[in-house]
Amino acid sequence: MATNTYLSKMRPEDILLPTLSGVCCERGGFYIDPTRPVARALITHGHSDHARAGHGAVLATRETLDLMRIRYGDDFAGTSQPVRYGETVTLGDVAVTFHPAGHVLGSAQIAVACNGLRVIASGDYKDAADPTCEPFALVPCDVFITEATFGLPVFRHGDPAAEVAKLLHSAALFPERAHLVGAYSLGKAQRVIAMLRQAGYDAPIYLHGALESITTYYRNRGIPLGDVRPVRLTDRSKLGDSITICPPSSLTDLWARRFPDPITCFASGWMRVRARARQYGVALPLVLSDHADWKGLTATITATGASEIWVTHGQEDALVHWAVMNGLKARPLAIVGYGNEEEEAVIPGHAEGASPESITTDHGDSEGAVVIDSGQPLRGFRHDSEAGGERGK
Amino acid sequence: MNRFAELLDRLAYEHGRNNKLRLITDYFRTTPDPERGWALAALAGALTFRYAKPGMLRTLIAERTDPVLFGLSYDYVGDLSETIALMWPQPAPQASPQRGEGEESPSLSDVIETLATLGKAELPAQLARWLDALDETGRWALLKLITGALRIGVSARLAKTAAAALGGKDPHDIELLWPTLQPPYEAVFQWLEGRGEKPVTADPAPFRPPMLAQAIQETELAMLDAADYMAEWKWDGIRVQAVAGIGADGARMARLYSRTGEDISKAFPDLLDALRLPGAIDGELLIRRNERIQSFNVLQQRLNRKSVTAKLTAEFPAHLRAYDLLANGDEDLRERPFAERRLLLEAFVTLLADAHVDVSPMVAFTTWDELIAARADPAGAGPDAAAVEGVMLKRRDAPYLPGRPKGPWWKWKRDPFLIDAVLMYAQRGHGKRSSFYSDYTFGVWAPGASGDELVPVGKAYFGFTDEELLQVDRFVRRHTVNRFGPVREVMHEPGQGLVLEVAFEGLQRSTRHKSGVAMRFPRINRLRWDKPPGEADRIETLERMLDRNAIA
């Protein structure tokens, strides 16, 4: 146990230490969202750049554990222990509490407290409304570890309902054409469906096969999604006047061409920037994000009352600059290993004939790619389907 | 502005030419005059009001945002107008989902008519008011418009074609009329909609849209019949159109146009005097000194000067080398076959009898092998050989067609210079390549204070495929040794680094570059993953090329 003199000199790094493999808590004997297999891991949410298979013991929300099981199979970890939002678990001499992050179903911020100092690893989060998950909970803390996926002032996500209205408007305008909506398989796809229902769209919504298992899980957890049908059971060439949700990579697949004169839509925060939308060959960009925009990031940081922020991934330069200008202590964790690999794996100008496979990354589960040619561990979280696919478009 | 912004926005995402045409034609059909006319002018690049300079836009945004955040955002978005459109602080704190449709939101006509009379000093404040009144798309469109760079994948030709489609007319008819038309083109739309007569051409010295050649490779020659073609040297200067006519007042009028129709008469008064006969010559602008055509490097020295003095014209005398005759007096020759126009051209230039104008000589050949030999050794072009950049093939029977039709004209450039250089710095690109490291500074080995070191010799940002771009981008990210803002210094040691095979068209001495040389038109020819940087070329290789490239 810490002595009283030690207590007064406690530093955030004594609780959580950024390492090459993720943020590490020595006192509690765990890592948060480690990028390599470790003995004990706390997982913020189910996206595969944060939730990897092969850890000894995993502590996460029930939904996150279920989603890992769906993706990796029953043996995704040695042991697993579900934790409820607000429940505090003591590990070593630190107290760990999971709070809703508003990112996807089951997503959590992890608060780690010791001797009166509280550090929050927020994983990925958003402060916008989402009918498919618990809203972001604001938890005061001393150090806030934040993402910066959309950490530039050019990212203003706007009103999500207006983006869904844009889709419905286009569907009404071109009733003979199929609308294909690219959406990440965990979270975004289900959110788009739920928001279409909220907007009063009650026709069947069709689903690409890669989205079926997770969507079924969402439904089983009580998220109202209405009449959702696997598109594989339908003749695609007869699906004019319909909306189909698919992984972004499928938008440019042969698969998409079977639809009658399809309009390719993509629901992502990246759609705010024209070059990104064009790199995908998207005809109808929908600015719909599961990450906080610039205003969301800066407002959240301010509201936590944290005097220090650590930035894990994304546009860390800009967010760190903003924090410093606003009198906060701030550091990018990129310097200790969270790299900005986020912009890889997109080919610009697919119109020039880039292969569709290389344009996106979503297909769910690309957990294999942790090692690069030099044999060194990849710096930072490898993207996968969701966050990764979303980053850098 | 909003309808026009919406059109630009949709065009920016539309790939298909036919869909673009449909969008533009629909817009013309449903938009009243003069709004649609100004839109046509904007799409066709025919607006002449004072464009806002990027510097002014930067100042405006700098007054409203943190400079570091702006810099990072611009670096990321890769487009100044779009960055400002997205970052512009909205007067209302909550972003409205609807487009800014208040009374304040200006129409395209408002914008253009205001700009036509606005003093330079008033522009920034007016622009700021407009930006406040518009939404993101509107701001983006306005900024694109006033910076004069729409870049939405719509050519002037496409815009005119869309206008022609409004009345089922041949776009060629509009092209012929175009030089004499003034926006907002009410008379043209009346004619297109069948409510008025066809406007008549009144300009005695109009620009005619030029005919351009497709590139061809030696291997492709076999598909063509040598007997169908004539060949001439391709000169390394500036493609121009030299036009003279008699105005309504009986006075002679002469104009020199660039390939894009820009009037460049003022820069070449010495050539204008030579255009005494009414007609239109398509040719190459060159510098002829000491009885010889000079290389492009010499021409560039004249082009770079702001004011044209007697000393300059004496030192760099302009010369027109004629390729084609588009009009003889009032007679339009463009429908005639090339072989016939060529004879008329020779007669025209003989009659002109001016030392500043001559006819580009033909390259005689009967088989492709003979042409291949001639191209390989341009010494056949005589003392002017240094200014030859390849050969042109023209079908004997081809009319003069605007645009770049495939088949009648081929350009077959001489082989470029090649060197192996080492990637030293990389910078993120713009446009569709924004966020990718696509601009590469490369160097060659030179003796330094402590042994050999790499000196930068050029920068290239194209020539590679999308797949190669991904590979180099990944290489840059993984081998960064230093960052300077948007620029990354990349590992470049004899044993570790990336060798780029660089192709370029020419070299000239440069005091601006540490290496003392500057390349013309450099591009990445090949990635040499197989070659260690230590085996890349040395500066001496370039110096030898410089000697070879130089002329008396």
Side-chain angles (χ1 to χ4, degrees):
Chain A
M1 286 296 282
T3 66
N4 278 345
T5 47
Y6 185 52
L7 192 154
S8 61
K9 286 181 188 163
M10 188 108 190
R11 297 173 307 141
E13 287 82 357
D14 297 327
I15 298 181
L16 282 182
L17 188 66
T19 75
L20 283 172
S21 313
V23 191
C24 169
C25 176
E26 283 185 18
R27 290 163 167 267
F30 62 85
Y31 281 81
I32 296 176
D33 291 350
T35 56
R36 282 190 299 193
V38 298
R40 182 189 288 275
L42 275 56
I43 306 296
T44 59
H45 66 283
H47 282 152
S48 55
D49 54 344
H50 293 259
R52 294 167 188 279
H55 302 305
V58 171
L59 184 67
T61 62
R62 177 187 159 184
E63 291 82 0
T64 298
L65 294 175
D66 288 344
L67 289 163
M68 290 175 79
R69 195 170 289 113
I70 289 170
R71 293 195 142 170
Y72 303 128
D74 285 338
D75 56 350
F76 70 93
T79 62
S80 66
Q81 179 188 342
V83 57
R84 285 189 304 278
Y85 289 135
E87 181 187 346
T88 296
V89 177
T90 305
L91 295 167
D93 63 354
V94 303
V96 172
T97 316
F98 283 54
H99 301 281
H103 177 55
V104 296
L105 182 61
S107 68
Q109 317 170 61
I110 300 176
V112 184
C114 181
N115 292 339
L117 190 70
R118 185 190 283 150
V119 182
I120 290 185
S122 58
D124 290 336
Y125 64 96
K126 71 170 175 289
D127 53 346
D130 182 342
T132 65
C133 66
E134 288 280 316
F136 178 86
L138 186 71
V139 182
C141 59
D142 301 290
V143 178
F144 189 66
I145 306 180
T146 181
E147 58 145 326
T149 305
F150 292 110
L152 282 173
V154 289
F155 290 111
R156 292 176 187 160
H157 294 334
D159 178 6
E163 298 300 307
V164 170
K166 205 160 92 180
L167 171 61
L168 289 175
H169 177 70
S170 178
L173 207 61
F174 300 102
E176 77 286 5
R177 301 177 68 180
H179 281 69
L180 297 187
V181 183
Y184 304 114
S185 60
L186 165 51
K188 187 66 64 62
Q190 297 76 26
R191 184 179 174 207
V192 170
I193 297 170
M195 290 185 68
L196 282 167
R197 297 311 183 202
Q198 279 186 333
Y201 184 78
D202 54 9
I205 293 173
Y206 296 88
L207 206 59
H208 184 282
L211 310 180
E212 284 177 25
S213 57
I214 292 175
T215 305
T216 302
Y217 178 74
Y218 265 63
R219 180 199 296 288
N220 292 342
R221 295 297 297 168
I223 314 282
L225 300 176
D227 184 358
V228 177
R229 303 178 184 177
V231 75
R232 61 185 160 83
L233 303 179
T234 315
D235 179 356
R236 274 173 279 160
S237 65
K238 298 209 167 69
L239 280 182
D241 196 12
S242 71
I243 295 177
T244 301
I245 317 287
C246 65
S249 57
S250 301
L251 290 175
T252 48
D253 274 349
L254 268 176
W255 174 85
R257 288 182 216 156
R258 286 278 187 77
F259 290 86
D261 197 9
I263 296 182
T264 54
C265 321
F266 187 8
S268 162
W270 298 111
M271 294 298 104
R272 178 47 87 196
V273 175
R274 280 159 199 286
R276 299 295 163 287
R278 279 204 293 272
Q279 280 162 4
Y280 264 98
V282 168
L284 184 65
L286 303 172
V287 185
L288 202 58
S289 174
D290 283 337
H291 297 267
D293 65 3
W294 175 255
K295 204 176 150 216
L297 291 168
T298 54
T300 302
I301 290 168
T302 307
T304 60
S307 58
E308 180 168 348
I309 68 162
W310 297 353
V311 185
T312 52
H313 56 282
Q315 304 293 330
E316 58 268 28
D317 296 1
L319 197 58
V320 166
H321 172 80
W322 171 86
V324 170
M325 296 302 283
N326 283 274
L328 304 176
K329 206 171 152 191
R331 62 189 280 205
L333 297 190
I335 53 163
V336 291
Y338 290 77
N340 49 358
E341 303 292 330
E342 80 287 356
E343 284 160 354
E344 285 191 55
V346 198
I347 287 190
H350 95 101
E352 271 73 27
S355 66
E357 292 75 19
S358 45
I359 292 181
T360 30
T361 52
D362 188 313
H363 260 327
D365 311 69
S366 58
E367 91 260 33
V370 211
V371 174
I372 57 169
D373 43 12
S374 61
Q376 288 163 348
L378 193 68
R379 294 176 302 145
F381 293 132
R382 172 77 192 175
H383 320 114
D384 73 355
S385 36
E386 330 290 328
E390 199 167 342
R391 246 167 265 149
K393 298 300 159 3
Chain B
M1 195 70 215
N2 285 335
R3 283 221 55 206
F4 181 64
E6 213 173 292
L7 173 70
L8 291 191
D9 190 45
R10 292 187 65 179
L11 287 172
Y13 291 119
E14 185 54 67
H15 298 298
R17 182 175 182 277
N18 287 339
N19 286 334
K20 285 183 185 181
L21 277 176
R22 222 172 73 193
L23 286 169
I24 305 172
T25 306
D26 284 350
Y27 172 86
F28 288 148
R29 186 172 293 122
T30 55
T31 307
D33 290 317
E35 190 82 356
R36 60 180 174 178
W38 292 119
L40 172 58
L43 292 172
L47 290 175
T48 51
F49 56 77
R50 187 201 320 280
Y51 290 128
K53 293 267 164 38
M56 197 202 88
L57 301 185
R58 284 171 190 271
T59 307
L60 273 184
I61 194 73
E63 288 163 358
R64 289 162 175 80
T65 53
D66 177 293
V68 174
L69 293 179
F70 172 75
L72 290 166
S73 296
Y74 178 39
D75 179 35
Y76 185 85
V77 174
D79 180 293
L80 183 64
S81 299
E82 188 179 351
T83 310
I84 295 174
L86 291 175
M87 276 185 86
W88 190 263
Q90 283 155 319
Q94 203 59 44
S96 159
Q98 293 95 25
R99 300 200 179 282
E101 54 200 340
E103 279 80 43
E104 304 164 65
S105 175
S107 71
L108 177 61
S109 311
D110 289 342
V111 169
I112 289 172
E113 283 156 18
T114 306
L115 285 173
T117 55
L118 198 68
K120 194 176 177 184
E122 301 158 77
L123 182 57
Q126 176 62 65
L127 188 52
R129 280 196 295 278
W130 283 332
L131 290 171
D132 283 343
L134 291 163
D135 68 355
E136 267 119 5
T137 308
R139 287 194 293 264
W140 169 76
L142 175 68
L143 291 169
K144 286 278 155 193
L145 182 75
I146 62 155
T147 51
L150 292 181
R151 292 200 190 148
I152 47 160
V154 173
S155 62
R157 173 86 181 161
L158 194 74
K160 292 172 204 165
T161 305
L166 195 58
K169 302 279 195 263
D170 185 343
H172 192 59
D173 286 350
I174 296 195
E175 288 286 11
L176 292 180
L177 286 174
W178 192 254
T180 63
L181 301 177
Q182 291 299 325
Y185 313 116
E186 274 120 334
V188 178
F189 282 109
Q190 278 188 11
W191 164 60
L192 288 169
E193 290 177 336
R195 296 182 288 110
E197 289 301 306
K198 185 173 174 179
V200 287
T201 310
D203 187 339
F207 172 70
R208 293 163 174 88
M211 178 163 175
L212 304 170
Q214 299 266 354
I216 196 168
Q217 312 274 328
E218 186 171 324
T219 50
E220 295 167 307
L221 289 176
M223 296 183 297
L224 307 175
D225 183 349
D228 290 341
Y229 287 86
M230 299 165 76
E232 61 188 315
W233 297 113
K234 179 167 167 41
W235 300 97
D236 196 4
I238 299 175
R239 180 90 178 274
V240 291
Q241 210 174 95
V243 191
I246 308 295
D249 57 355
R252 181 180 69 94
M253 180 186 272
R255 288 213 198 106
L256 197 63
Y257 294 101
S258 75
R259 202 177 88 167
T260 54
E262 193 189 344
D263 188 340
I264 53 170
S265 309
K266 283 202 183 83
F268 299 95
D270 44 336
L271 193 55
L272 234 46
D273 293 341
L275 306 175
R276 283 182 299 274
L277 293 176
I281 296 173
D282 177 354
E284 197 85 10
L285 181 78
L286 299 157
I287 299 295
R288 188 159 187 262
R289 191 162 67 193
N290 305 330
E291 314 264 294
R292 284 185 184 188
I293 298 295
Q294 305 292 306
S295 73
F296 188 82
N297 296 340
V298 178
L299 174 58
Q300 216 161 26
Q301 292 168 47
R302 170 156 176 177
L303 297 178
N304 291 341
R305 304 297 173 83
K306 278 221 170 95
S307 60
V308 183
T309 60
K311 182 168 174 281
L312 185 72
T313 54
E315 202 179 335
F316 300 96
H319 184 85
L320 177 64
R321 186 146 277 189
Y323 293 136
D324 212 324
L325 192 65
L326 313 186
N328 184 10
D330 289 338
E331 191 190 357
D332 192 330
L333 304 178
R334 286 176 288 177
E335 299 292 324
R336 310 250 197 127
F338 175 70
E340 200 180 317
R341 293 200 309 275
R342 171 79 195 184
L343 291 175
L344 291 166
L345 174 72
E346 287 168 7
F348 187 89
V349 172
T350 306
L351 197 61
L352 196 60
D354 192 294
H356 288 90
V357 184
D358 65 3
V359 176
S360 179
M362 303 304 297
V363 181
F365 73 101
T366 49
T367 66
W368 291 130
D369 283 344
E370 283 172 34
L371 188 66
I372 289 165
R375 170 180 170 273
D377 181 18
D384 295 337
V388 166
E389 64 161 353
V391 293
M392 293 289 303
L393 291 172
K394 297 181 176 176
R395 268 193 83 97
R396 293 171 187 276
D397 59 1
Y400 192 91
L401 302 166
R404 204 185 288 276
K406 199 169 168 95
W409 284 13
W410 300 101
K411 61 180 175 190
W412 185 21
K413 287 196 166 193
R414 75 172 172 212
D415 295 330
F417 296 98
L418 292 177
I419 56 150
D420 288 330
V422 184
L423 176 63
M424 298 176 71
Y425 305 93
Q427 188 171 353
R428 297 210 223 190
H430 288 92
K432 69 172 190 177
R433 280 171 170 167
S434 68
S435 91
F436 287 87
Y437 287 90
S438 64
D439 296 12
Y440 309 124
T441 301
F442 45 84
V444 296
W445 296 103
S450 50
D452 281 347
E453 59 178 25
L454 284 167
V455 288
V457 289
K459 192 173 172 182
Y461 43 90
F462 64 100
F464 37 82
T465 64
D466 287 341
E467 187 53 45
E468 286 172 331
L469 170 60
L470 262 189
Q471 292 166 7
V472 181
D473 181 74
R474 199 170 299 139
F475 176 86
V476 168
R477 287 165 195 277
R478 288 178 183 165
H479 296 86
T480 299
V481 294
N482 229 328
R483 300 183 191 204
F484 313 94
V487 178
R488 289 189 179 202
E489 181 175 358
V490 182
M491 171 69 73
H492 50 86
E493 301 292 331
Q496 212 186 344
L498 174 58
V499 176
L500 307 169
E501 184 180 275
V502 179
F504 55 98
E505 294 303 310
L507 269 184
Q508 74 180 111
R509 292 217 178 271
S510 163
T511 46
R512 289 221 314 264
H513 295 78
K514 190 181 170 191
S515 59
V517 295
M519 288 177 180
R520 182 157 170 240
F521 200 47
R523 66 268 185 192
I524 307 300
N525 206 44
R526 208 149 50 110
L527 304 179
R528 297 295 307 265
W529 297 106
D530 55 311
K531 197 162 190 170
E535 291 174 21
D537 276 312
R538 300 183 54 83
I539 190 74
E540 292 83 0
T541 311
L542 283 172
E543 307 218 320
R544 278 197 301 276
M545 288 178 177
L546 200 57
D547 293 339
R548 188 148 47 97
N549 197 44
I551 53 163

